[in-house]
Structures are given as C-alpha cells and as structure tokens.
Amino acid sequence: MPEELVLYVKKTCPWCIAAESWLDQKGYAYREIDVNQSQASYSEMQKISGQRFVPTLVVGDKHLADFDTAQLEQFLKTEDIRPAK
C-alpha cells in the first residue's frame, strides 16, 4: 500500500494552490491540512520540516518544504512516488 501524501497549505498561498492543482491533474491522492485552521497543525509542520513555509509535502519519513511545482515533480520522481491507481 502506498504511503499517504500529506500536504500542509494555507488556502491563500499561490504556491499551495499550484501544488494542489498539479497533484490533482496528475492523479495523486493526498490529505490537505490548512495550517491557518490549527496552531497544532502549524506546529506539527514546523517540527517535521524544520521551517515555517508552505506548501510542505510529507510522505512517510520524507518531506519537501517551500517548493514550486517543478521541485514537486522532481521530488516525486526522485522518491519514486506515483499516483495511486
């Protein structure tokens, strides 16, 4: 079973919107966490990634923080993370 993709976002962040759109277009399933809705979620994201910027993608013990769609695509390719079928 593939590991769950968790995407930490802020709803008004243009990079977050682009990341969500890219993941949707490519067929990736992910759980979205809006860090503006919960201080605990924001703190959790900071603990995982060591920084405070969104978007942040977490897959198992791997993460990618503060990225654009080209970096997202490269990360998923490098880590061999594919859309669920």
Side-chain angles (χ1 to χ4, degrees):
M1 182 173 172
E3 293 184 273
E4 179 183 36
L5 277 71
V6 179
L7 185 63
Y8 291 88
V9 301
K10 292 181 181 177
K11 288 296 195 177
T12 58
C13 163
W15 294 274
C16 299
I17 294 166
E20 291 174 289
S21 178
W22 190 93
L23 289 167
D24 291 343
Q25 289 174 5
K26 300 296 183 182
Y28 285 89
Y30 58 94
R31 181 168 52 101
E32 174 191 287
I33 299 176
D34 183 350
V35 298
N36 279 337
Q37 298 298 312
S38 164
Q39 182 60 43
S41 294
Y42 185 73
S43 296
E44 177 181 282
M45 179 197 73
Q46 286 181 299
K47 183 178 178 184
I48 291 167
S49 67
Q51 54 79 50
R52 61 184 193 277
F53 301 105
V54 290
T56 294
L57 179 69
V58 178
V59 184
D61 63 348
K62 300 171 183 72
H63 70 274
L64 176 66
D66 190 24
F67 58 86
D68 63 24
T69 55
Q71 293 167 312
L72 172 59
E73 183 173 17
Q74 184 59 48
F75 173 79
L76 295 171
K77 181 179 179 183
T78 300
E79 299 298 334
D80 196 30
I81 300 166
R82 301 172 190 214
K85 296 183 180 190

